Amino acid sequence: MITAELHLGVEEPFRPAEKAHPGLVLGTLIELETTAARIEHAGYELSWAERDTFEGYVRFHARDGFGNRLEVMTPTA
């Protein structure tokens, strides 16, 4: 099991990053799809539009409750 802890702060005035974002790597496609389903089920914005645009990885992008972009991916091999 791999665990990641992200420690974030909010600066005033708050403005979510448009391009900069953390990228989290999961071990399998099943983990990726399960994580995506959990994020969507929780009501957060999620997109597979760039699913196969990063060579060697399958990925999706999501937005957290503050509008920050997150990338979640897994190696294709």
Side-chain angles (χ1 to χ4, degrees):
M1 178 169 132
I2 298 173
T3 302
E5 246 184 70
L6 300 177
H7 297 256
L8 308 170
V10 177
E11 297 177 8
E12 295 294 335
F14 176 74
R15 185 179 67 84
E18 303 229 357
K19 294 287 254 174
H21 61 276
L24 305 174
V25 180
L26 299 177
T28 68
L29 184 58
I30 291 171
E31 290 174 352
L32 184 73
E33 291 171 342
T34 300
T35 301
R38 290 179 67 191
I39 290 170
E40 286 183 311
H41 181 73
Y44 293 100
E45 179 184 339
L46 187 136
S47 172
W48 289 95
E50 297 180 54
R51 177 185 175 102
D52 300 311
T53 60
F54 185 39
E55 188 175 340
Y57 291 88
V58 175
R59 65 186 179 161
F60 66 82
H61 290 88
R63 297 265 176 198
D64 69 13
F66 299 101
N68 295 297
R69 186 177 189 210
L70 305 167
E71 179 179 13
V72 186
M73 62 188 124
T74 192
T76 55

Coordinates of all heavy atoms in Angstrom, one line a residue:
M1 N 0.8 -1.2 0.0 CA 0.0 0.0 0.0 C 0.9 1.2 0.0 O 1.8 1.4 0.8 CB -0.9 0.0 1.2 CG -1.8 1.2 1.3 SD -3.0 0.9 2.7 CE -2.8 2.5 3.5
I2 N 0.6 2.2 -0.9 CA 1.3 3.4 -1.0 C 0.4 4.5 -0.5 O -0.8 4.6 -0.8 CB 1.8 3.7 -2.5 CG1 2.7 2.6 -2.9 CG2 2.4 5.1 -2.6 CD1 3.1 2.7 -4.4
T3 N 1.0 5.4 0.3 CA 0.2 6.5 0.9 C 0.9 7.8 0.6 O 2.1 7.9 0.6 CB 0.1 6.3 2.4 OG1 -0.5 5.1 2.7 CG2 -0.7 7.4 3.0
A4 N 0.1 8.8 0.2 CA 0.6 10.1 0.0 C -0.2 11.1 0.9 O -1.4 10.9 1.0 CB 0.4 10.5 -1.5
E5 N 0.5 12.0 1.5 CA -0.1 13.0 2.3 C 0.2 14.3 1.6 O 1.4 14.6 1.4 CB 0.5 13.0 3.7 CG -0.5 12.7 4.7 CD 0.2 12.8 6.1 OE1 0.4 13.9 6.6 OE2 0.4 11.7 6.7
L6 N -0.8 15.1 1.3 CA -0.5 16.5 0.7 C -0.9 17.5 1.8 O -2.0 17.5 2.3 CB -1.4 16.7 -0.5 CG -1.2 15.7 -1.7 CD1 -2.2 16.0 -2.8 CD2 0.2 15.8 -2.2
H7 N 0.1 18.4 2.0 CA -0.1 19.4 3.0 C -0.3 20.7 2.2 O 0.7 21.2 1.6 CB 1.0 19.5 4.0 CG 1.2 18.3 4.8 ND1 0.8 18.2 6.1 CD2 1.6 17.0 4.5 CE1 1.0 17.0 6.6 NE2 1.5 16.3 5.6
L8 N -1.5 21.3 2.2 CA -1.8 22.5 1.4 C -2.2 23.6 2.3 O -2.7 23.4 3.4 CB -2.9 22.2 0.5 CG -2.8 20.9 -0.4 CD1 -4.1 20.6 -1.1 CD2 -1.6 21.1 -1.4
G9 N -1.9 24.8 1.9 CA -2.3 26.0 2.6 C -3.1 26.9 1.6 O -3.0 26.8 0.4
V10 N -3.9 27.8 2.2 CA -4.6 28.8 1.4 C -4.1 30.2 1.7 O -4.0 30.6 2.8 CB -6.1 28.7 1.7 CG1 -6.9 29.7 1.0 CG2 -6.7 27.3 1.5
E11 N -3.8 30.9 0.6 CA -3.3 32.2 0.8 C -4.5 33.2 0.4 O -5.3 32.8 -0.5 CB -2.1 32.5 -0.2 CG -0.9 31.6 0.2 CD 0.2 31.8 -0.8 OE1 0.2 32.7 -1.6 OE2 1.2 31.1 -0.7
E12 N -4.5 34.3 1.0 CA -5.5 35.3 0.7 C -4.9 36.4 -0.2 O -3.8 36.8 0.1 CB -6.1 35.9 2.0 CG -6.8 34.9 2.9 CD -8.1 34.4 2.3 OE1 -8.7 35.1 1.4 OE2 -8.5 33.3 2.6
P13 N -5.6 36.8 -1.2 CA -6.8 36.2 -1.8 C -6.5 34.9 -2.5 O -5.5 34.7 -3.1 CB -7.4 37.2 -2.8 CG -6.1 37.9 -3.3 CD -5.1 37.9 -2.1
F14 N -7.4 33.9 -2.3 CA -7.2 32.6 -2.9 C -7.5 32.6 -4.4 O -8.5 33.1 -4.8 CB -8.1 31.5 -2.2 CG -8.0 30.2 -2.8 CD1 -6.9 29.4 -2.6 CD2 -9.0 29.7 -3.6 CE1 -6.8 28.2 -3.2 CE2 -8.9 28.5 -4.2 CZ -7.8 27.7 -4.0
R15 N -6.6 31.9 -5.1 CA -6.9 31.7 -6.6 C -6.3 30.4 -6.9 O -5.1 30.1 -6.7 CB -6.1 32.8 -7.4 CG -6.4 32.7 -8.9 CD -5.7 33.8 -9.6 NE -4.3 33.7 -9.6 CZ -3.5 33.0 -10.4 NH1 -4.1 32.3 -11.3 NH2 -2.2 32.9 -10.3
P16 N -7.1 29.4 -7.3 CA -6.6 28.1 -7.7 C -5.6 28.1 -8.8 O -5.8 28.9 -9.8 CB -7.8 27.2 -8.0 CG -8.9 28.2 -8.3 CD -8.5 29.5 -7.6
A17 N -4.6 27.3 -8.8 CA -3.7 27.2 -9.9 C -4.4 26.7 -11.2 O -5.2 25.8 -11.1 CB -2.5 26.2 -9.5
E18 N -4.0 27.3 -12.3 CA -4.7 26.9 -13.6 C -3.9 25.7 -14.2 O -4.6 24.9 -14.8 CB -4.7 28.1 -14.5 CG -5.4 29.3 -13.9 CD -6.4 29.9 -14.8 OE1 -6.5 29.5 -16.0 OE2 -7.0 30.8 -14.3
K19 N -2.6 25.7 -14.1 CA -1.9 24.6 -14.7 C -1.1 23.7 -13.7 O -1.0 22.5 -13.9 CB -0.9 25.2 -15.8 CG -1.5 25.8 -16.9 CD -2.1 24.9 -17.9 CE -1.3 24.7 -19.1 NZ -1.7 23.7 -20.0
A20 N -0.5 24.4 -12.8 CA 0.3 23.6 -11.8 C -0.6 22.7 -11.0 O -1.7 23.1 -10.6 CB 1.0 24.6 -10.8
H21 N -0.1 21.5 -10.7 CA -0.9 20.5 -10.0 C 0.0 19.4 -9.5 O 1.0 19.1 -10.1 CB -2.0 20.0 -10.9 CG -1.5 19.3 -12.1 ND1 -1.2 20.0 -13.2 CD2 -1.3 18.0 -12.4 CE1 -0.8 19.1 -14.2 NE2 -0.8 17.9 -13.7
P22 N -0.4 18.7 -8.4 CA 0.3 17.5 -8.0 C -0.2 16.3 -8.9 O -1.3 16.3 -9.4 CB -0.2 17.3 -6.6 CG -1.5 18.0 -6.5 CD -1.4 19.1 -7.5
G23 N 0.8 15.4 -9.1 CA 0.5 14.2 -9.9 C 0.7 13.0 -9.0 O 1.7 12.8 -8.4
L24 N -0.4 12.2 -8.8 CA -0.3 11.0 -7.9 C -0.3 9.8 -8.8 O -1.1 9.6 -9.8 CB -1.5 11.0 -7.0 CG -1.7 12.2 -6.2 CD1 -3.0 12.1 -5.4 CD2 -0.5 12.4 -5.2
V25 N 0.6 8.8 -8.5 CA 0.8 7.6 -9.3 C 0.2 6.4 -8.5 O 0.6 6.2 -7.4 CB 2.2 7.3 -9.7 CG1 2.4 6.1 -10.5 CG2 2.8 8.5 -10.4
L26 N -0.7 5.7 -9.1 CA -1.3 4.5 -8.5 C -0.6 3.3 -9.2 O -0.1 3.4 -10.3 CB -2.8 4.5 -8.7 CG -3.5 5.6 -8.0 CD1 -5.0 5.5 -8.3 CD2 -3.3 5.6 -6.5
G27 N -0.8 2.1 -8.6 CA -0.1 0.9 -9.0 C -0.7 0.2 -10.2 O -0.1 -0.5 -11.0
T28 N -2.1 0.3 -10.3 CA -2.8 -0.5 -11.3 C -3.9 0.3 -12.0 O -4.4 1.2 -11.4 CB -3.4 -1.8 -10.8 OG1 -4.4 -1.5 -9.9 CG2 -2.3 -2.7 -10.0
L29 N -4.3 -0.2 -13.1 CA -5.5 0.4 -13.8 C -6.8 0.3 -12.9 O -7.6 1.2 -12.9 CB -5.7 -0.2 -15.2 CG -6.8 0.4 -16.0 CD1 -6.6 1.9 -16.2 CD2 -6.9 -0.3 -17.4
I30 N -6.9 -0.9 -12.3 CA -8.1 -1.1 -11.4 C -8.1 0.0 -10.3 O -9.1 0.5 -10.0 CB -8.1 -2.5 -10.8 CG1 -8.3 -3.5 -11.9 CG2 -9.1 -2.7 -9.7 CD1 -8.2 -5.0 -11.6
E31 N -6.9 0.2 -9.7 CA -6.9 1.3 -8.6 C -7.2 2.6 -9.2 O -7.9 3.4 -8.5 CB -5.4 1.3 -8.0 CG -5.1 0.1 -7.2 CD -3.7 0.1 -6.7 OE1 -2.9 1.0 -7.1 OE2 -3.3 -0.7 -5.9
L32 N -6.8 2.9 -10.4 CA -7.0 4.2 -11.0 C -8.5 4.4 -11.3 O -9.1 5.4 -10.9 CB -6.3 4.3 -12.4 CG -6.4 5.7 -13.1 CD1 -5.6 6.7 -12.3 CD2 -5.9 5.5 -14.5
E33 N -9.2 3.4 -11.8 CA -10.6 3.4 -12.1 C -11.4 3.5 -10.9 O -12.4 4.2 -10.8 CB -11.0 2.3 -13.0 CG -10.4 2.4 -14.4 CD -10.6 1.2 -15.3 OE1 -10.9 0.1 -14.8 OE2 -10.4 1.4 -16.6
T34 N -11.0 2.7 -9.8 CA -11.7 2.8 -8.5 C -11.6 4.1 -7.9 O -12.6 4.7 -7.4 CB -11.1 1.7 -7.6 OG1 -11.3 0.4 -8.2 CG2 -11.8 1.7 -6.3
T35 N -10.4 4.7 -8.0 CA -10.3 6.1 -7.4 C -11.1 7.1 -8.2 O -11.7 7.9 -7.5 CB -8.8 6.5 -7.4 OG1 -8.0 5.5 -6.7 CG2 -8.5 7.8 -6.9
A36 N -11.1 7.0 -9.5 CA -12.0 7.9 -10.3 C -13.4 7.8 -9.9 O -14.1 8.8 -9.7 CB -11.8 7.6 -11.8
A37 N -13.9 6.5 -9.7 CA -15.3 6.3 -9.4 C -15.6 6.9 -8.0 O -16.7 7.5 -7.8 CB -15.6 4.8 -9.4
R38 N -14.7 6.8 -7.1 CA -14.9 7.4 -5.7 C -15.0 8.9 -5.8 O -15.8 9.5 -5.1 CB -13.8 6.9 -4.8 CG -13.9 5.4 -4.4 CD -12.8 5.0 -3.5 NE -12.9 5.6 -2.2 CZ -12.0 5.6 -1.3 NH1 -10.8 5.0 -1.5 NH2 -12.2 6.2 -0.1
I39 N -14.1 9.5 -6.6 CA -14.1 10.9 -6.7 C -15.4 11.4 -7.3 O -16.0 12.4 -6.9 CB -12.8 11.4 -7.5 CG1 -11.6 11.2 -6.7 CG2 -13.0 12.8 -8.0 CD1 -10.3 11.4 -7.5
E40 N -15.8 10.8 -8.4 CA -17.1 11.1 -9.1 C -18.3 10.9 -8.1 O -19.1 11.8 -8.0 CB -17.3 10.4 -10.3 CG -16.4 10.8 -11.5 CD -16.6 10.1 -12.8 OE1 -16.7 8.8 -12.7 OE2 -16.8 10.7 -13.8
H41 N -18.3 9.8 -7.4 CA -19.3 9.5 -6.5 C -19.4 10.6 -5.4 O -20.5 10.9 -4.9 CB -19.2 8.2 -5.9 CG -20.2 7.8 -4.9 ND1 -21.5 7.4 -5.3 CD2 -20.3 7.7 -3.6 CE1 -22.3 7.1 -4.3 NE2 -21.5 7.3 -3.2
A42 N -18.3 11.2 -5.0 CA -18.3 12.2 -4.0 C -18.7 13.6 -4.5 O -18.9 14.6 -3.8 CB -16.9 12.4 -3.4
G43 N -18.9 13.7 -5.9 CA -19.5 14.9 -6.5 C -18.4 15.9 -7.0 O -18.7 17.0 -7.3
Y44 N -17.2 15.4 -7.1 CA -16.1 16.3 -7.6 C -16.0 16.2 -9.1 O -16.2 15.2 -9.7 CB -14.8 16.0 -6.9 CG -14.8 16.3 -5.5 CD1 -15.0 15.3 -4.5 CD2 -14.7 17.6 -5.0 CE1 -15.0 15.6 -3.2 CE2 -14.7 17.9 -3.7 CZ -14.9 16.9 -2.7 OH -14.9 17.1 -1.4
E45 N -15.5 17.3 -9.7 CA -15.3 17.4 -11.2 C -14.2 16.4 -11.6 O -13.1 16.4 -10.9 CB -14.9 18.8 -11.5 CG -14.6 19.0 -13.0 CD -14.2 20.4 -13.3 OE1 -14.4 21.3 -12.5 OE2 -13.5 20.6 -14.3
L46 N -14.3 15.6 -12.6 CA -13.3 14.7 -13.1 C -13.4 14.6 -14.6 O -14.5 14.6 -15.2 CB -13.6 13.3 -12.5 CG -12.6 12.2 -12.7 CD1 -12.3 11.4 -11.5 CD2 -13.0 11.3 -13.8
S47 N -12.2 14.5 -15.2 CA -12.2 14.4 -16.7 C -11.1 13.3 -17.1 O -10.0 13.3 -16.6 CB -11.8 15.7 -17.3 OG -11.5 15.6 -18.7
W48 N -11.6 12.5 -18.1 CA -10.7 11.5 -18.7 C -10.2 12.1 -20.1 O -9.6 11.3 -20.9 CB -11.4 10.2 -18.9 CG -11.6 9.4 -17.7 CD1 -12.8 9.4 -16.9 CD2 -10.7 8.5 -17.0 NE1 -12.6 8.6 -15.9 CE2 -11.4 8.0 -15.9 CE3 -9.4 8.1 -17.3 CZ2 -10.8 7.1 -15.0 CZ3 -8.8 7.2 -16.4 CH2 -9.5 6.7 -15.3
A49 N -10.4 13.4 -20.4 CA -10.1 13.9 -21.7 C -8.7 13.7 -22.1 O -8.4 13.6 -23.3 CB -10.5 15.4 -21.7
E50 N -7.8 13.7 -21.2 CA -6.3 13.6 -21.5 C -5.9 12.2 -21.1 O -4.7 12.0 -20.8 CB -5.5 14.6 -20.8 CG -5.9 16.0 -21.2 CD -5.1 17.1 -20.5 OE1 -3.8 17.0 -20.5 OE2 -5.7 18.0 -20.0
R51 N -6.7 11.2 -21.1 CA -6.5 9.8 -20.6 C -5.2 9.2 -21.2 O -4.4 8.7 -20.5 CB -7.7 8.9 -20.9 CG -7.5 7.5 -20.6 CD -8.6 6.6 -21.0 NE -8.4 5.2 -20.7 CZ -8.9 4.6 -19.7 NH1 -9.7 5.2 -18.9 NH2 -8.6 3.3 -19.5
D52 N -5.0 9.3 -22.5 CA -3.9 8.7 -23.1 C -2.9 9.7 -23.8 O -2.2 9.3 -24.7 CB -4.4 7.7 -24.2 CG -5.3 6.7 -23.6 OD1 -4.9 6.0 -22.6 OD2 -6.4 6.5 -24.2
T53 N -2.8 10.9 -23.3 CA -2.0 11.9 -23.9 C -0.6 12.0 -23.3 O 0.2 12.8 -23.7 CB -2.7 13.3 -23.9 OG1 -2.9 13.7 -22.5 CG2 -4.0 13.3 -24.6
F54 N -0.3 11.3 -22.2 CA 1.0 11.3 -21.5 C 1.6 9.9 -21.7 O 1.1 8.9 -21.1 CB 0.8 11.6 -20.1 CG 2.1 11.8 -19.3 CD1 3.2 12.4 -19.8 CD2 2.2 11.3 -18.0 CE1 4.4 12.5 -19.1 CE2 3.4 11.5 -17.3 CZ 4.5 12.1 -17.8
E55 N 2.6 9.8 -22.6 CA 3.1 8.5 -23.0 C 3.6 7.7 -21.8 O 4.2 8.1 -20.9 CB 4.4 8.7 -23.9 CG 4.9 7.4 -24.5 CD 6.0 7.6 -25.5 OE1 6.1 8.7 -26.1 OE2 6.7 6.7 -25.8
G56 N 3.1 6.4 -21.8 CA 3.4 5.4 -20.8 C 2.5 5.4 -19.6 O 2.7 4.6 -18.7
Y57 N 1.5 6.3 -19.6 CA 0.5 6.4 -18.5 C -0.9 6.5 -19.0 O -1.2 7.1 -20.1 CB 0.9 7.6 -17.6 CG 2.1 7.5 -16.9 CD1 3.4 7.9 -17.5 CD2 2.2 7.0 -15.6 CE1 4.5 7.7 -16.8 CE2 3.4 6.8 -14.9 CZ 4.5 7.2 -15.5 OH 5.7 7.1 -14.8
V58 N -1.8 6.1 -18.1 CA -3.2 6.3 -18.3 C -3.6 7.3 -17.1 O -3.1 7.1 -16.0 CB -4.1 5.0 -18.2 CG1 -5.6 5.3 -18.2 CG2 -3.7 4.1 -19.3
R59 N -4.4 8.3 -17.4 CA -4.6 9.3 -16.3 C -5.9 10.0 -16.4 O -6.6 9.9 -17.4 CB -3.5 10.3 -16.3 CG -3.5 11.2 -17.6 CD -2.4 12.1 -17.7 NE -2.4 12.9 -18.9 CZ -1.7 14.0 -19.1 NH1 -0.9 14.4 -18.1 NH2 -1.8 14.6 -20.2
F60 N -6.3 10.6 -15.3 CA -7.4 11.5 -15.3 C -7.1 12.8 -14.5 O -6.1 12.8 -13.8 CB -8.7 10.9 -14.8 CG -8.7 10.5 -13.3 CD1 -8.9 11.4 -12.3 CD2 -8.4 9.2 -12.9 CE1 -8.9 11.1 -11.0 CE2 -8.4 8.8 -11.6 CZ -8.6 9.8 -10.6
H61 N -7.8 13.8 -14.7 CA -7.7 15.0 -13.9 C -8.9 15.3 -13.1 O -10.0 15.0 -13.6 CB -7.3 16.2 -14.8 CG -6.0 16.2 -15.4 ND1 -5.7 15.5 -16.6 CD2 -4.8 16.6 -15.0 CE1 -4.5 15.6 -16.9 NE2 -3.9 16.3 -15.9
A62 N -8.8 15.8 -12.0 CA -9.9 16.1 -11.1 C -9.7 17.5 -10.5 O -8.6 18.1 -10.5 CB -10.1 15.1 -10.0
R63 N -10.8 18.1 -9.9 CA -10.7 19.3 -9.2 C -11.1 19.1 -7.7 O -12.1 18.4 -7.5 CB -11.6 20.4 -9.8 CG -11.2 20.8 -11.2 CD -10.4 22.0 -11.2 NE -9.9 22.2 -12.6 CZ -8.9 23.0 -12.9 NH1 -8.2 23.6 -12.0 NH2 -8.6 23.2 -14.2
D64 N -10.3 19.6 -6.8 CA -10.7 19.4 -5.4 C -11.8 20.5 -5.1 O -12.3 21.2 -6.0 CB -9.5 19.6 -4.5 CG -8.9 21.0 -4.4 OD1 -9.5 21.9 -4.9 OD2 -7.8 21.1 -3.9
G65 N -12.3 20.5 -3.8 CA -13.3 21.4 -3.4 C -13.0 22.8 -3.5 O -13.9 23.7 -3.4
F66 N -11.8 23.2 -3.7 CA -11.4 24.6 -3.9 C -11.0 25.0 -5.3 O -10.6 26.1 -5.6 CB -10.1 24.9 -3.0 CG -10.4 24.6 -1.5 CD1 -10.0 23.5 -0.9 CD2 -11.1 25.5 -0.8 CE1 -10.3 23.2 0.4 CE2 -11.4 25.3 0.6 CZ -11.0 24.2 1.2
G67 N -11.2 24.0 -6.2 CA -10.9 24.3 -7.6 C -9.5 23.9 -8.1 O -9.2 24.2 -9.2
N68 N -8.7 23.4 -7.2 CA -7.3 23.0 -7.6 C -7.3 21.7 -8.4 O -8.1 20.8 -8.2 CB -6.5 22.7 -6.3 CG -6.3 24.0 -5.5 OD1 -5.7 25.0 -6.0 ND2 -6.8 24.0 -4.3
R69 N -6.5 21.7 -9.4 CA -6.3 20.6 -10.4 C -5.5 19.5 -9.7 O -4.4 19.8 -9.2 CB -5.7 21.1 -11.7 CG -5.7 20.1 -12.8 CD -5.1 20.8 -14.0 NE -5.2 19.9 -15.1 CZ -4.4 19.9 -16.1 NH1 -3.4 20.7 -16.2 NH2 -4.5 19.0 -17.1
L70 N -5.9 18.3 -9.9 CA -5.1 17.1 -9.5 C -5.0 16.1 -10.6 O -6.0 15.9 -11.4 CB -5.8 16.4 -8.3 CG -6.2 17.3 -7.1 CD1 -7.1 16.5 -6.2 CD2 -4.9 17.6 -6.3
E71 N -3.9 15.5 -10.8 CA -3.7 14.5 -11.8 C -3.5 13.1 -11.1 O -2.6 13.0 -10.2 CB -2.5 14.8 -12.7 CG -2.2 13.8 -13.7 CD -1.0 14.2 -14.6 OE1 -0.3 15.2 -14.2 OE2 -0.8 13.6 -15.6
V72 N -4.2 12.1 -11.5 CA -4.0 10.8 -11.0 C -3.7 9.8 -12.1 O -4.4 9.8 -13.1 CB -5.2 10.3 -10.2 CG1 -5.0 9.0 -9.5 CG2 -5.6 11.4 -9.1
M73 N -2.6 9.0 -12.0 CA -2.2 8.2 -13.2 C -1.7 6.9 -12.7 O -1.4 6.6 -11.6 CB -1.2 9.0 -14.0 CG 0.1 9.3 -13.2 SD 1.2 10.3 -14.2 CE 1.4 11.7 -13.0
T74 N -1.5 6.0 -13.7 CA -0.9 4.7 -13.5 C -0.1 4.3 -14.8 O -0.5 4.7 -15.9 CB -1.9 3.6 -13.2 OG1 -1.2 2.4 -12.7 CG2 -2.8 3.2 -14.4
P75 N 1.0 3.7 -14.6 CA 1.8 3.2 -15.8 C 1.0 2.3 -16.7 O 0.2 1.4 -16.1 CB 3.0 2.6 -15.3 CG 3.1 3.0 -13.8 CD 1.7 3.3 -13.4
T76 N 1.2 2.3 -18.0 CA 0.5 1.4 -18.9 C 1.1 0.1 -19.0 O 0.4 -0.9 -19.3 CB 0.4 2.0 -20.3 OG1 1.7 2.3 -20.8 CG2 -0.5 3.2 -20.3
A77 N 2.4 0.0 -18.7 CA 3.1 -1.3 -18.8 C 3.1 -2.1 -17.4 O 3.1 -1.6 -16.4 CB 4.5 -1.1 -19.2

